[in-house]
Every structure is written in C-alpha cells, then in structure tokens.
Amino acid sequence: MSGALLSADQLGRWYGQVVGLSDLTLSLERGVTGLVGPNGAGKSTFLKLVAGEIRPSRGTLEVLGLKPFANAELFRRAGFCPQQEALYEDMTGLEVVRFLMRLHGFSAAEATRRANEALDRVGLGDARKRRVGGYSKGMRQRAKIAQAIAHGPELVVADEPFNGLDPVGRAEMTALFAQAGREGMSVLVSTHVLHEVEALTHEIVLFHRGRLLAQGPVGQVRQLLSRHPRRVELRAREPRRLARALVELDFVLSVRVGPADGRIDVETFELERFFEALTRIAAETRAGVTSLESHDASLEAVFDYLVA
Amino acid sequence: MLNFLRTTWLLYRTHLVRTLRARRMWLVAFGVALAPAIAWVVAQSPRTIRGLDVLTALGFLLTINVMAPLASVIVGAAVLGEELEDRTITYLLTRPISRPAILVGRWLASATVLVALFAASAALLGWVAGGFPPPSNEKYVIPPGLTGALVGASALAVLTYSALFSTLGVFFKHPMIVGLGYAFTIEGFLANLPGKNQALTIQYYVRCFLASQHPQAWAGVEDVVPREPLDAAQAVRWLLGIALVALAIGAWALRRKQYELTA
Amino acid sequence: MTASAPQAPVISLRGVVKQYGAVRALDGVELEVAPGATALLGPNGAGKTTMIKLLLGLVKPDAGEARLLGFDPRKPADGVELRRKVGYMPESDCLPPQMNAVELVSTLARITGLSESDAITRAHESLDYVGLEEQRYREIAQYSTGMKQRVKLAQALAHDPPLLLLDEPTNGLDPKGRRHMLELVADLGRAHGKSVLLCSHLLPDVERTCDHVVVLDRGRVAASGALLELTRSQSRSSRVRVAGDVEAFVRELASHGIACERESERVLRVRAPGDDADELFALAGRAGARLEALEEQRSSLDQVFLDVLKNSREARG
Amino acid sequence: MKAATHTEIYRPFRDALAPSRWAFWPLYRAQMAIATKRKLPLFILFFGPAMTGIVVSFLAYLQFQIEESGSGGPLISGGGLVAQFASQLLEVHKLIIAAMKTVRFFAVLAMAWYGAGLICDDRRAGAHLLYFSRPLTRFDYMLAHFATAFTFGCCAVLGPGLLICLVATFNSPDFIFLTEKWPVIVATIGYSLVFVTALSALILAVSALSKRKSYALAAVFGVFMSTLALGGAMSALMRERQWWMLSLASHFERVADWWLGASRSFHRWDPWWSVAVLGGLTLVSFAIVAWRVRRMEVVA
C-alpha cells in the first residue's frame, strides 16, 4: 500500500489539564523513523494515538490510511510495544505471545509457530518456557518486542524498547529493527538514548512541549540550524601556536584554548573552508595535532540546539 | 458477531486456566469447602441434630449470605480490575478483537469456576445433610428438591454477583473496594430493612428463589423468607436480568472506553 | 564528614558467595574498590543488585568476607551503622506515590539520624542540588521519570554520606536530564570527595563520570581496573575521515609507506608515524584532500565490555 | 546555546548524625501524614464514632439533669448522695458499654481502611528498598506501621469512650462519677487499648500477606464475616451458645462485656477463653508480620 505511512493534522490530546500533545501537524513516510524529545514532550501520547489505544482530543490522525482508535483493521497491520513493563506474569513467554497471536485470528498451530519464531528472533529462545514473572527487565523488553512483531505487521510502534537493556541486548534489538526495516516493515521507535537512534536510522522526528520541532535526516536538520555556528574541537601538543594561526582566518568566529589538556574549541560558519585551511596550517605549524572532532553532526548537539 | 464469539471463546479458555492457577482461587475454594466440612464435623457429634437444620443453617447463613458475595467480589473484581491495575489491558485493546468480548469472555471463565465450586459445595452439603439420622417428627424430613434449590440459589447468586462486580471493573479504578462496600454494607443494611428497598439487593432475589420452593423448610432460619416473596421463576428472571444488564452496560462502555494508563 | 582515609579501599570483597536456590548470584567475588568514582558493569542478571544488597547488609553472604568503609555488613550493629554512611539510589521504582518529594527526603533523613530542622533543610538543599524546583511539593505519583530519578538521588544525598551506591541513575532520562545527572555524579565524585559506585548499562555515561571500572559476569569479576588502561587500544592507530580527493590521499600514504585500511568510502584507519598527525595533514594537503575528523583509535568501553564478556564466557566454557 | 554550568554549591552536612534510637518515629509521622491527606475517607469513617461519642455523652448528661431537678432538697451527706444517684451512675455505665459495642464495628472499618494498605502498598511501590537501606531495623519498621493502625483505632474507640467518661464526670454532682465509678473509666481505657492492639496486629498480618490493599481489605472483611456466619450457623444448629466461640467478633464482644463489667452478656463462656484466643491471634499476627518483613527486606 503506497502513500504516507501516517499523517496528523493539528493533532491534540490532553489528560485533564495535563497536555500530552498540543498541536501536531506531521506526515511520515514508510521506513524506520526515530522519535526523540525530552521527557514529557508527548512522545508516548503520540505513539498511543498512532497505535489506536487512545482517541485524539482535537485534530485528525490517519495511520496506513485508517482512523487508528479501536480500529481492528489497523491492529491487524500494526504491532505496538508499550512503554510500561506490564506483562502476564503467571504465563510463560510462549503462552503470552501465542495467546496474543490467537487473538489475531491465527489457528493454534500457526500461532505457536509465529510465537516461537518471534521469540527466537528476539533472543528469548531458551526462556520461552519460563514464567514471565521470573524475567529480568531486559527479557521483558524482548518479550514485548516479540509480541509486537510476531504477526508480521506492516508497522511496528515501539515506545522506548531499549529501556533497561544492556549493551549486548541493545545492539541485538537495534539490529532486529534495522533488519525489519530492510524487510519493508515500517518502524516508529521512541527513545531517550540518542546514540541508539543514530545507530538505527537517520530519519528523526523531534518533539518538544507537545509540538513537532524538527523532522528529517539528522544532517539536514543540522544544516537548517544556520543560526548556530559549527563547533570543532581540536587537541594539539602546542595549542597556543596553532590557535594563533587559526585566529587569522576570517571565517573563524572564536577560538578557545582549554586550560590544561591542549584542547582548542573553534566556532565557524563555514566548516568546509575551515577544514581546508586547517589541513594547510597544521602541516605548516607542525603544532602536533592529535585529534580533530566536529561535534555538531551528532544528534545530541542538534537536540540541544533545538531544545535549548 | 463471529469475531465476538471467537474472541469470547479465546479469552474464556485463557482466563479459565489463569483463574484456576491464581493463588486467590485456593482462598475461595477453602471458603466454599467450609460448609460441607463443618456439616461433616457436626455429623460426628453424638447430639441428635436434624439434617434439615444442617442444610438450611449452613447453606444459607454461611454459603449464600457471606461466601457467595465475598467470593464473587474477589474473583469478579479481578476479571478486569486486575488487568487494568497491572496495565496489561494494552495488549488486548490493540488487537483486532471486539472489545466487549474481553469483559464477557473473562467473566464467563470466572463465573464457570465460581458456579462449579458453589454448586459442588451445595450438593456436597446436601449429601452430608442427607446422611443424618431421619428425624422423629415428619415435619423435619428434608424435602426432596431442597438440595437442588440450594445448588440453584448458590449458582445464581455467584453468577449475578460476579457479573455485577466484573462490570464495576470497567468503571472504577478499585472495583474490589466498591464491591465490598456494596456487598457488605449496602446489601447487609438494606436486605434486613422492611419494605420495598429490599428489592435493591441481589440477596432478596436469591432468598426469594430459595424460600419460594419449600417455605416451611426455611422456617428454622430467621430472615430467610422475605415478606412478600416472588416465586422461583420470577426470582430467576430477575437475577439473570440483573446479570445480563450489568454485563451489557459494561460491554457497551468498554467498546468506547479509553484507558489513560499513565506511564 | 571527613573523607574516608586516603587509598584505604572503600569496598573490599574476598571470596564472597551468594546462592539463591540453584542460581549462584555471586560466585567467589574478589574485589577492591578504591575511593573515587567506580563503575560496576555487567549484563542483566550478573549479580550487581545482589552485590549492592549484600554491601548494605540486607543480604547475608553464604561465604567470604565483605568490608564497606571498614564495616562488616554481616554484623547487625555494623550493618545499621554503615547504612548511615551510605547513600543508596535503587534502580527500580521505589518512591511512595502519595508523598511529596520534601516529605520523603526529610523523613528518610530523619530516619538516618538528622534532627527535625536539619532534615528539612537538608531535604531542600538536596532537592535544589538535583534541580527539582517547585514540583517538589506535588505528589510523587504525578512525577515524570526524570523527576523521580532526581528525587532518588536527592534522598541518597540528604545525609551527606561519604559513599554513594547508584544503580542505573540515568535510566529513563532524556539527554538533558542524563547530562545533568552525570554532571552531578561527576561533581560529587571529584569536587566533594565522595566515593561513588555506579551501576549502569549506558557505557558513554560511565566514560564521562568514572575513573575505575569493574565488569561482573555471572557472579564473578571478569575485569577491573582504571578506565583509561582498559580502553587503551593495543595498536596505536588513528581513524581519519577525509574529504576532497580521497584516492590521491591514499596513494600519497602508500608512497610514504604508511599502512592504511579503508573502513568506509571516506573513513580510513591509518598508523601515523610519530605520535601526532601533522604528517597526515601535510600529505592530505599535497594530495588536494582535507581531513574532517581524526581520533586516536581507542576502543570504546562498549567494545571493551563486549570483548571482556566474550573472553570470560570462553574462559569458563 | 544556553550555558549550563553546575555551580550548585553542595554544602556538606556539618554536625554529626544523632544515633537514631527512635527511627520508627519519622516513618510513623510520614505514614500518618499520607493517611490524613485525603479528608473524605477520614470524614466518612470517623463520622460514626464521633456521632456515637456525642449522642451517648448527651444521654449521660441527661441522666444527671432529670434527677437533680426532681429532688430539690438540700444536698444530703456524701453517702446519701451516692445512694440517691446510684441509679444514674449505673445507667451511665450501661451507656458506656453500649457505646463501646457500637463503636467496635466502625473501628474495624476505619482500621481496615487505613491499615490494610500499610505493608502491601510499601512492597508494591518498592518503598521498602528506601527504608531498609537506612539505619532502620525491622522492628522500627513494624513499630511504625503498628503505631499508624493503632492511632486510627484509638481515635475510633478510645476517643468516644473518653469523651463519655469526661462528660459524665463533669455532669455528675461533685464528680461522684469519677470518685465512685473510676474503675469503669480505667476499664474503658484498658479495654480500648487491648482491643485496638489485637485488631492492629490482625490487620497488619493480613496486609503483610496480601499483594494489594484491595485484597487485604477483602481478607479482613472475609475473616470477620465468615467467622460470624460460621458461629451463627453452628450455634443455631447445635442449639448451644458455646459455638459462637467460632466467631472472631464474638470473642471481642465477650472480652468487652466481661472487662467493662456488663451485667448480662449474650455469650456465656468463660471470658478467659476469649482472652486466650485473641492473645494467641495477636502473637501469631506479629510473627507473620515479622516473617514477611524479613523476607521483604531481602527480596527486591
């Protein structure tokens, strides 16, 4: 089914006076999208609206061309991994996923097959027969992801699926979502830990105070932020000599030499010309450059600029 | 409609297994086994005791009056209340199923277990009471249909109570507390008041069903026979009516209900 | 509170074993934790929480010796005394929902031994320090994850303990909140001479705040040492991102006998002669290319963590 | 970019920590603060006891008014005075017993509501992690929760009792109620404290055993209602009052009638039986609480 994955028009949702989402107009294409934003920015509310668990208080929302709330057609084609840890404690991992698959209309055998396959895929193969009550936080997250992908949905909505996973688990789940994306499944993942999103996708949507602040590949979003100069961090054995030469360049805004560790922070509006000039100056001054890094491209920097 | 039936059957099967495994089920089973056990203990005592009294006193005072509402509150409130409190309802609300089936399917499972337990307990009580020495006076012979009436009354009581308390789970955050409040303070208070407000309590209809078939048998136990008792058929219609209405309201509300499960 | 005696280990464990039924949570742990900020890493279920409970004297070890700030957690009297000198920030949810932040922190401070007035002032100071402004008077049930984490840290700080046991302090925090929490932890460790034992899964956080690292795996210490040592890579090489005429630059490197591996289209891994990259800049200039990023190849803590786990699992078959 | 610097001045805490002997006190104060935050349940649950106290005090006041206006004569010597008001004193004594009986039901409701959630809510919220990582012994923890339940019990039982005695004392001429009937006052206080202690222990044990406050409430209701029904059914069956000993509520009633010196009492059995049963139950309850709190301290 072509067309936009989802589109929201002046979407709003609040709980009493507490505003979850104030006024969101957004449309997303298929593929893997990272949803980032500070605590309380409205990510969870938005995901619950997309998953059809709650109704908008204002505005309209269409997912896969459908009105999401309590829409059986959407539930057939989408999987939801909620934020809360709750699971059926007294059932085993296999029983939980198989039961939920049966609700999708699969036969007993088909449900069991899909449950086993999903559990293997998230790495819960050997724990499938154990009671969920005994699962660690990481295992619970994997079980929740398993029930969201077991019925082979077109869209998976996951609310902070990496919360509580150790680095091994995190790496595996990121790979799983990336693979799902490659297999044509659209994935909408919200997370706090930005370096996870960068590993998973370049397409980000940034929420803040219940509104859409930015959307698109990280790099391009950074370009739009012209009002913020680009920051480059250098380290050299003789920082002062190098700094004196750099200050001469007319497109360099400021140079700050760190007190002890030979660090130089440079702010400039034209990054490319700066790198060209640096290559020349470093060769001439032989100031012993040991590291060169430009922070701005990282999502965290973009996040700070926008959310500051 | 087919989706409703299929989902109800699925939820029925799953919840049945989970209810049987739940720790609180042993508590309810113990409570229900109390009446027949006590009857058996009484049977051992040398005193001459009439089987009829054992059946009526234990049957009504213990099983119908206290155990039925208590067990129904504990099991009924867990039908939806527990799932809401644990916030696992999300997994059901985002499935392509008919939502009313969630309430109906799970209630059916709880009701099955409750009815089975209470019917068995009443039947067992009847059997133990039957084993007592025949009474000297003809008046105190246990009329043949009395045990059947007790079994019926117990089953109907838990059926109706559990339907009511399950529906409370849809509307209230703490259905157990609201249920306890109703069962023990409101019902306990209203059921003993003279006049029409008895009709507001489920106990009244259960007593009507119970006493209307063999009124003289229940004379021994005070305040069982209500002042203007309905006949058995009317009482049954009322009880089933209450259960159906309660479930219908709950099911209808569940269709559009949003549960704001704050993180 | 005077800082603990210099260099005496804050925590020392010798041959500590703790068994829960069939599961051996701690399997003969040998560990010395020096003052300052130490990270305790390990996959889920490696025994971190058991170790913390053991140090707090809440759990008795089946075998082995444990010392915390010179106290033996096994002895009840010591157990109570040492909990006065430790600030514990649990990983799981642990805040009573109906209380507000001031009530909770001051009550816990009073339990620790502060007088009524001290408890209230310390509560407000700690809440100021963690940056919980006027929300401190609202019920905790309405707090966001970030605010809850801050209250948890505040209650651990209220009685100014020399040792802090922080279990996943940045869990569930957004980047701003995480950075703020990490700065607090680093500030406590370095500026106020507090010893910090930090359990975390977010290794970048650990890299920012801790100087020592202990890796626990299946109840045993898989690796421990100073962070810098652990992450010092064996081969000294640099990772370079190049722009402009990349091919010319590669040829230039080859002509000067500098080995270079191509990590991706514009990223190369180069073994630079001498200990700085001036030569690389010169070669790039000559080849009509420019360097956009250059970093000493230091294996990130992630890498170290994964390698340590791999060898410890292989070692134990 | 907004400069974010962390110059929060972290001021170390100068004076030493006092050795906390009364560690339970701040926890108790906090529990009470939480409980009394919501005013509606407080009003609903204590409306009954308050009304009982006021109504019965008024009746006691009336007792002394009627006779006084009637006699009119000069005050007769002390002994005579007592004889003259003997009937009133006896009447007030009966009033107190009646008040204590009615108040018992309300006390169970109030203590169940405030007590049932104490330990199980702590475990669900995980708050025990915070408390046990403090220099707080298990005994302090239990004492704090017990004190909370005990306080609500006293408000429901001791409050009305004392009020009635007070009004009776001041309204009886030359405080003869105090001089003559002081054993009744002492008995009322003693009985209230014992009753509230036993009930607190029972409720805390139920709270320690259940997963959630709602289950604990159901259990407390269950215990009282089912034993009551059991006692009723058995005594009707066996046609002997002894069987009421199966009912927990009857034991409380028996102890009350005996301790407060009620002339006639529904139950006939030796009161020491009830004292033994209630005493045993209280000890078992404390043991259960101690065991569960020990387990709670270890398991996360």
Side-chain angles (χ1 to χ4, degrees):
Chain A
M1 242 262 296
S2 66
L5 175 69
L6 67 88
S7 65
D9 178 26
Q10 292 181 329
L11 190 62
R13 180 60 162 93
W14 40 85
Y15 315 96
Q17 306 92 349
V18 175
V19 66
L21 218 50
S22 61
D23 171 13
L24 181 78
T25 305
L26 157 81
S27 87
L28 282 182
E29 295 313 317
R30 295 185 167 276
V32 180
T33 312
L35 187 58
V36 289
N39 275 357
K43 302 197 295 294
S44 282
T45 308
F46 177 66
L47 290 184
K48 283 185 197 157
L49 285 165
V50 168
E53 198 191 337
I54 49 177
R55 248 197 316 262
S57 313
R58 204 170 62 93
T60 61
L61 171 66
E62 268 195 20
V63 179
L64 299 171
L66 302 160
K67 282 256 169 298
F69 179 67
N71 184 328
E73 180 53 26
L74 175 72
F75 296 150
R76 233 185 294 285
R77 296 165 54 193
F80 180 46
C81 169
Q83 186 183 14
Q84 67 262 24
E85 264 179 44
L87 268 170
Y88 295 106
E89 307 294 326
D90 51 327
M91 290 159 84
T92 71
L94 182 61
E95 276 170 4
V96 171
V97 183
R98 186 174 57 212
F99 164 57
L100 294 175
M101 283 311 110
R102 291 282 283 148
L103 292 181
H104 271 283
F106 295 114
S107 69
E110 178 66 6
T112 314
R113 186 186 65 77
R114 278 178 180 275
N116 281 321
E117 189 195 295
L119 286 170
D120 291 337
R121 202 166 167 190
V122 292
L124 277 180
D126 45 16
R128 71 185 73 212
K129 286 282 194 297
R130 277 177 36 201
R131 246 168 41 81
V132 167
Y135 278 17
S136 71
K137 199 167 182 187
M139 290 161 83
R140 280 169 189 274
Q141 290 293 53
R142 291 166 188 264
K144 278 168 34 183
I145 294 171
Q147 63 88 24
I149 60 170
H151 55 297
E154 278 170 59
L155 162 67
V156 171
V157 180
D159 197 345
E160 291 192 37
F162 303 126
N163 195 354
L165 287 180
D166 60 42
V168 177
R170 222 182 278 278
E172 283 167 5
M173 285 309 109
T174 310
L176 185 137
F177 280 128
Q179 172 60 21
R182 279 192 292 280
E183 284 165 5
M185 187 194 287
S186 296
V187 180
L188 189 54
V189 181
S190 97
T191 179
H192 282 313
V193 188
L194 295 174
H195 66 264
E196 282 158 18
V197 176
E198 285 176 311
L200 181 61
T201 173
H202 297 300
E203 195 62 36
I204 62 139
V205 175
L206 186 65
F207 274 39
H208 187 44
R209 293 203 188 86
R211 285 191 5 266
L212 174 67
L213 211 52
Q215 178 186 359
V218 180
Q220 282 167 22
V221 170
R222 177 66 192 85
Q223 311 303 15
L224 305 177
L225 300 172
S226 55
R227 56 183 157 73
H228 290 280
R230 306 300 296 268
R231 276 187 320 109
V232 177
E233 185 193 319
L234 285 147
R235 273 200 173 65
R237 259 201 320 289
E238 296 154 47
R240 298 253 172 244
R241 205 147 57 78
L242 184 60
R244 262 200 302 283
L246 291 178
V247 149
E248 301 301 332
L249 304 169
D250 52 20
F251 44 80
V252 164
L253 275 168
S254 77
V255 177
R256 182 180 165 283
V257 183
D261 51 8
R263 185 175 136 172
I264 308 172
D265 287 311
V266 176
E267 278 191 342
T268 168
F269 271 112
E270 288 138 36
L271 201 59
E272 223 171 276
R273 283 180 64 199
F274 173 77
F275 284 132
E276 227 168 285
L278 176 67
T279 307
R280 180 172 45 75
I281 292 172
E284 284 154 13
T285 57
R286 295 285 166 170
V289 172
T290 53
S291 92
L292 161 66
E293 226 179 317
S294 94
H295 279 298
D296 289 353
S298 84
L299 186 54
E300 192 141 347
V302 166
F303 187 91
D304 286 346
Y305 291 140
L306 292 167
V307 164
Chain B
M1 193 43 202
L2 183 65
N3 184 330
F4 172 77
L5 293 178
R6 190 179 171 290
T7 317
T8 307
W9 162 247
L10 264 173
L11 285 163
Y12 172 79
R13 223 156 42 96
T14 324
H15 194 65
L16 191 62
V17 169
R18 290 187 64 206
T19 312
L20 291 175
R21 259 195 297 205
R23 201 171 33 154
R24 61 178 171 275
M25 225 44 236
W26 306 116
L27 207 67
V28 168
F30 168 74
V32 161
L34 214 53
I38 297 287
W40 184 77
V41 164
V42 164
Q44 311 315 323
S45 93
R47 295 177 53 81
T48 57
I49 298 158
R50 286 191 293 269
L52 179 66
D53 291 344
V54 169
L55 186 57
T56 52
L58 288 177
F60 176 73
L61 285 177
L62 195 56
T63 309
I64 298 278
N65 205 0
V66 171
M67 283 303 157
L70 188 62
S72 304
V73 163
I74 294 176
V75 174
V79 162
L80 265 186
E82 191 180 52
E83 185 116 6
L84 279 174
E85 223 163 306
D86 292 349
R87 299 213 293 278
T88 49
I89 194 94
T90 317
Y91 299 111
L92 299 181
L93 294 180
T94 51
R95 297 290 149 184
I97 53 171
S98 92
R99 287 183 169 200
I102 300 176
L103 176 66
V104 172
R106 293 172 67 100
W107 168 72
L108 264 179
S110 306
T112 316
V113 174
L114 281 175
V115 165
L117 275 177
F118 274 80
S121 147
L124 197 59
L125 180 63
W127 180 69
V128 171
F132 276 72
S136 53
N137 178 331
E138 188 43 37
K139 201 155 71 78
Y140 294 111
V141 169
I142 302 177
L146 191 61
T147 309
L150 187 64
V151 168
S154 312
L156 277 170
V158 283
L159 201 75
T160 317
Y161 273 126
S162 58
L164 181 66
F165 297 137
S166 310
T167 300
L168 291 184
V170 176
F171 299 100
F172 293 99
K173 200 162 172 306
H174 297 296
M176 177 89 76
I177 293 167
V178 176
L180 280 173
Y182 170 75
F184 290 105
T185 34
I186 298 171
E187 274 223 338
F189 187 66
L190 279 179
N192 308 331
L193 273 182
K196 262 332 257 162
N197 36 34
Q198 271 192 348
L200 293 172
T201 68
I202 294 180
Q203 274 291 322
Y204 169 73
Y205 298 105
V206 174
R207 288 179 190 167
C208 294
F209 174 81
L210 203 54
S212 59
Q213 290 160 41
H214 307 283
Q216 78 297 347
W218 292 97
V221 184
E222 14 86 31
D223 77 40
V224 168
V225 185
R227 269 163 204 60
E228 318 97 16
L230 307 164
D231 65 34
Q234 268 180 320
V236 170
R237 265 200 303 279
W238 266 96
L239 284 171
L240 294 182
I242 294 171
L244 278 175
V245 165
L247 279 173
I249 295 171
W252 182 81
L254 200 55
R255 227 165 27 76
R256 299 301 299 167
K257 191 108 166 62
Q258 304 175 71
Y259 284 102
E260 279 130 27
L261 313 166
T262 45
Chain C
M1 299 300 289
T2 56
S4 65
Q7 291 328 322
V10 165
I11 296 171
S12 71
L13 299 171
R14 274 187 290 287
V16 167
V17 170
K18 178 63 191 174
Q19 191 115 10
Y20 288 117
V23 175
R24 213 160 230 244
L26 294 177
D27 182 11
V29 175
E30 296 293 335
L31 180 64
E32 297 257 328
V33 175
T38 306
L40 183 60
L41 306 178
N44 287 359
K48 302 200 293 287
T49 313
T50 312
M51 184 190 279
I52 288 187
K53 287 185 111 53
L54 191 122
L55 292 173
L56 285 168
L58 299 175
V59 155
K60 297 287 177 283
D62 299 340
E65 277 277 317
R67 282 286 178 285
L68 186 91
L69 298 170
F71 293 101
D72 174 3
R74 266 186 312 207
K75 298 202 199 75
D78 274 16
V80 171
E81 206 45 44
L82 77 84
R83 278 185 239 144
R84 214 192 291 280
K85 296 222 177 347
V86 167
Y88 172 50
M89 176 177 175
E91 179 248 347
S92 57
D93 271 348
C94 61
L95 302 174
Q98 284 97 6
M99 280 197 193
N100 68 42
V102 182
E103 262 170 5
L104 176 68
V105 177
S106 57
T107 303
L108 291 171
R110 287 224 43 222
I111 292 177
T112 316
L114 278 77
S115 69
E116 171 98 28
S117 53
D118 285 345
I120 296 284
T121 20
R122 279 304 295 176
H124 281 288
E125 258 172 45
S126 313
L127 289 169
D128 293 340
Y129 181 69
V130 295
L132 198 64
E133 300 317 330
E134 77 295 342
Q135 312 97 327
R136 64 183 69 175
Y137 300 108
R138 282 183 16 219
E139 278 187 15
I140 288 175
Q142 302 154 12
Y143 282 19
S144 71
T145 326
M147 287 151 75
K148 282 185 183 154
Q149 292 293 96
R150 290 186 191 168
V151 173
K152 283 202 260 185
L153 180 63
Q155 62 85 22
L157 287 173
H159 53 301
D160 193 16
L163 172 64
L164 287 170
L165 301 178
L166 308 179
D167 201 345
E168 306 265 356
T170 54
N171 210 353
L173 288 181
D174 62 29
K176 223 146 112 77
R178 250 174 75 227
R179 220 177 10 265
H180 180 224
M181 180 68 75
L182 293 177
E183 273 155 14
L184 294 186
V185 173
D187 179 55
L188 286 171
R190 297 197 174 93
H192 303 287
K194 292 214 177 308
S195 298
V196 178
L197 184 67
L198 183 109
C199 297
S200 179
H201 283 316
L202 301 174
L203 300 174
D205 295 2
V206 170
E207 275 170 326
R208 285 189 197 167
T209 47
C210 298
D211 352 327
H212 299 280
V213 169
V214 174
V215 180
L216 209 59
D217 182 31
R218 291 212 201 105
R220 209 180 271 177
V221 175
S224 90
L227 182 71
L228 294 175
E229 256 164 61
L230 274 175
T231 54
R232 182 171 311 294
S233 80
Q234 298 66 19
S235 66
R236 236 202 57 61
S237 69
S238 320
R239 233 164 124 258
V240 175
R241 194 169 77 234
V242 189
D245 192 341
V246 182
E247 298 316 326
F249 180 55
V250 172
R251 279 196 304 279
E252 198 63 37
L253 286 174
S255 64
H256 283 68
I258 299 173
C260 115
E261 268 166 59
R262 257 202 123 105
E263 208 180 274
S264 77
E265 206 266 331
R266 289 170 56 226
V267 178
L268 310 173
R269 196 172 293 138
V270 177
R271 187 177 304 289
D275 51 12
D276 66 48
D278 293 349
E279 191 52 31
L280 292 182
F281 277 101
L283 294 176
R286 216 172 293 137
R290 59 183 185 282
L291 303 187
E292 293 200 340
L294 168 98
E295 59 181 353
E296 190 209 339
Q297 180 60 40
R298 173 186 297 283
S299 45
S300 75
L301 196 53
D302 266 32
Q303 202 49 45
V304 169
F305 180 76
L306 299 176
D307 299 346
V308 160
L309 284 193
K310 213 160 19 47
N311 338 355
S312 102
R313 297 265 161 99
E314 275 142 20
R316 281 211 281 204
Chain D
M1 167 152 159
K2 197 156 67 68
T5 58
H6 280 285
T7 52
E8 278 99 344
I9 311 113
Y10 176 84
R11 277 189 298 281
F13 172 62
R14 280 288 164 268
D15 24 13
L17 294 175
S20 54
R21 281 182 321 288
W22 304 102
F24 83 95
W25 180 254
L27 185 54
Y28 164 67
R29 283 266 310 280
Q31 294 284 8
M32 286 304 289
I34 296 178
T36 49
K37 252 186 193 149
R38 285 186 181 63
K39 300 292 180 263
L40 188 60
L42 211 59
F43 173 76
I44 293 173
L45 288 165
F46 284 98
F47 176 78
M51 283 315 293
T52 314
I54 293 161
V55 164
V56 176
S57 309
F58 183 68
L59 290 177
Y61 163 76
L62 277 183
Q63 284 305 329
F64 292 105
Q65 297 316 330
I66 306 157
E67 218 38 44
E68 205 172 286
S69 56
S71 69
L75 288 184
I76 312 151
S77 67
L81 194 69
V82 166
Q84 182 192 345
F85 288 108
S87 65
Q88 278 74 41
L89 294 178
L90 194 63
E91 206 47 48
V92 169
H93 184 177
K94 284 204 191 69
L95 279 175
I96 291 178
I97 295 167
M100 283 293 124
K101 195 168 182 313
T102 14
V103 142
R104 195 177 315 127
F105 171 72
F106 293 121
V108 172
L109 271 185
M111 289 175 75
W113 176 261
Y114 284 111
L118 285 175
I119 296 181
C120 52
D121 280 354
D122 261 2
R123 183 146 23 92
R124 242 163 73 86
H128 58 286
L129 274 174
L130 291 180
Y131 298 135
F132 290 126
S133 66
R134 300 278 148 173
L136 176 85
T137 59
R138 288 196 301 281
F139 177 72
D140 288 319
Y141 181 76
M142 287 192 282
L143 189 56
H145 285 311
F146 175 78
T148 310
F150 190 81
T151 311
F152 285 109
C154 288
C155 299
V157 179
L158 197 57
L162 281 181
L163 180 67
I164 301 164
C165 296
L166 214 64
V167 166
T169 310
F170 282 104
N171 279 292
S172 57
D174 302 347
F175 309 111
I176 52 165
F177 182 80
L178 185 61
T179 49
E180 282 312 308
K181 283 285 181 182
W182 61 268
V184 171
I185 299 174
V186 167
T188 312
I189 297 169
Y191 161 73
S192 304
L193 296 179
V194 163
F195 167 71
V196 169
T197 307
L199 203 53
S200 302
L202 176 75
I203 288 176
L204 274 185
V206 168
S207 178
L209 287 172
S210 28
K211 210 159 55 122
R212 272 197 201 91
K213 173 173 177 174
S214 42
Y215 287 132
L217 266 175
V220 170
F221 261 98
V223 164
F224 272 98
M225 299 309 276
S226 42
T227 50
L228 193 69
L230 200 59
M234 284 305 285
S235 61
L237 257 178
M238 311 290 274
R239 277 186 296 291
E240 270 168 26
R241 287 263 175 80
Q242 298 298 86
W243 286 96
W244 274 104
M245 284 174 80
L246 286 174
S247 152
L248 187 60
S250 312
H251 283 299
F252 280 116
E253 201 173 330
R254 184 72 190 102
V255 169
D257 293 346
W258 165 64
W259 193 310
L260 296 171
S263 52
R264 45 162 195 74
S265 159
F266 178 77
H267 301 302
R268 287 285 183 288
W269 65 76
D270 172 356
W272 284 104
W273 271 105
S274 293
V275 170
V277 165
L278 292 181
L281 205 61
T282 309
L283 293 182
V284 165
S285 303
F286 279 132
I288 291 175
V289 173
W291 167 60
R292 288 295 288 185
V293 168
R294 172 79 193 90
R295 248 166 59 82
M296 206 161 97
E297 191 186 45
V298 169
V299 173

